[in-house]
Amino acid sequence: MTIRVAIAGARGKMGQEAVHTIMKNTGMELVSILDYKEIGETLADTNLFPQNFTVPIFLDLKELHEKTKPDVLVDLTSPESVYQHTRDALGLGIRPVVGTTGFSDEELKELTAYAKEHRIGCIIAPNFAIGAVLMMKFAEQAAKYLPDIEIIELHHDQKLDAPSGTAMKTANMISKQREPHMQGHPKEKETLEGARGANYDGMRIHSVRLPGLLAHQQVLLGGEGQLLTIRHDSFNRGSFMSGVTLSVTKVMEIDNLVYGLENIID
């Protein structure tokens, strides 16, 4: 069966990469695009894609669904719109595959309950890079033995949310193995606010935003006389595409919400 795919956020750098990936995949068909502003009738009208990319563009998800009947919506938009897109897609019976971060815990709980009640698949992936998923899994395993941890995530300077979804997901996974406790000296004091980073159950998360970076993270686990560093680097957006295609395939096989690709890889 060919999987019918719609993409939200096709004009972004990740979205453009996803368009080409889906178009080349023989098991998938790109049937429509969701955008927030009038940019033309088809992808070809955007001047970002070849003239033979005649996939129609819609401003309204309901109209997109009625006219093109996608099985899956790949959302690569922004934290401001991703929750509503995901909720609306589930309501229409479209299976979301979401690479945008920025969900609150309450939103994730609500979407999880909705997907379970209606028995519809949804995958939310803070990071589509398989190597990044392995980095998170390795950090979770190591935290059982080295529970004093700091996370440093580094991204391009156009990223909107901090900490990154990957850093938050990493901290969440680590917390399953690590008892919450404060790190550093008990009388530690910041002489410049924010110097020690964000506090997650006593772990510290530091966000770096600079031009020239794409998506990078290192988890530092300290112990007596030793330091373990687990690091992953994405050097181009092609690193995320294997996770996108895996998620599009897997979301058709599940009837619940899955948060994180570590739950769908062996």
Side-chain angles (χ1 to χ4, degrees), residues 21-162:
T21 297
I22 299 299
M23 292 282 278
K24 290 187 291 186
N25 192 300
T26 57
M28 302 173 190
E29 180 185 1
L30 185 61
V31 297
S32 49
I33 300 298
L34 180 67
D35 209 296
Y36 70 94
K37 68 178 182 180
E38 188 68 54
I39 55 170
E41 295 183 0
T42 73
L43 279 179
D45 297 329
T46 67
N47 296 319
L48 296 172
F49 300 95
Q51 288 302 302
N52 63 335
F53 280 35
T54 55
V55 180
I57 298 171
F58 297 88
L59 302 179
D60 179 75
L61 184 59
K62 185 176 180 180
E63 182 185 5
L64 179 153
H65 175 251
E66 290 173 351
K67 292 186 176 179
T68 65
K69 296 292 188 295
D71 300 308
V72 176
L73 174 69
V74 176
D75 191 291
L76 302 167
T77 55
S78 66
E80 292 81 10
S81 57
V82 64
Y83 166 75
Q84 196 61 52
H85 285 173
T86 306
R87 180 66 178 78
D88 291 346
L90 288 169
L92 291 167
I94 308 170
R95 296 168 181 261
V97 167
V98 183
T100 310
T101 56
F103 290 98
S104 68
D105 290 342
E106 294 75 19
E107 289 171 343
L108 286 171
K109 288 178 183 177
E110 194 229 316
L111 293 170
T112 299
Y114 187 93
K116 182 179 180 180
E117 178 185 355
H118 293 83
R119 299 184 62 82
I120 181 171
C122 174
I123 294 175
I124 298 175
N127 198 314
F128 279 121
I130 300 300
V133 176
L134 293 172
M135 175 264 298
M136 290 186 273
K137 288 174 72 73
F138 297 156
E140 178 185 4
Q141 294 168 3
K144 183 178 180 180
Y145 305 98
L146 296 168
D148 287 342
I149 299 165
E150 303 218 1
I151 299 170
I152 304 173
E153 56 96 351
L154 309 92
H155 283 81
H156 56 87
D157 60 349
Q158 299 303 302
K159 186 170 178 58
L160 298 177
D161 56 323

Side-chain angles (χ1 to χ4, degrees), residues 7 31 51 53 65 78 96 119 144-145 155 163 165 178 193 196-197 199 202 206 224 229 232 242 247 249 258:
I7 293 178
V31 297
Q51 288 302 302
F53 280 35
H65 175 251
S78 66
R119 299 184 62 82
K144 183 178 180 180
Y145 305 98
H155 283 81
R178 175 189 179 274
E193 184 179 356
R196 290 291 290 119
N199 186 327
H206 308 268
E224 185 65 34
T229 301
H232 177 264
S242 58
S247 297
T249 301
V258 170

Side-chain angles (χ1 to χ4, degrees), residues 127-136 152-155 166 212-219 229-240:
N127 198 314
F128 279 121
I130 300 300
V133 176
L134 293 172
M135 175 264 298
M136 290 186 273
I152 304 173
E153 56 96 351
L154 309 92
H155 283 81
T166 299
L213 296 172
L214 180 58
H216 318 263
Q217 180 170 295
Q218 55 184 355
V219 183
T229 301
I230 305 172
R231 179 175 176 119
H232 177 264
D233 299 275
S234 283
F235 299 111
N236 61 62
R237 289 171 177 82
S239 66
F240 306 119

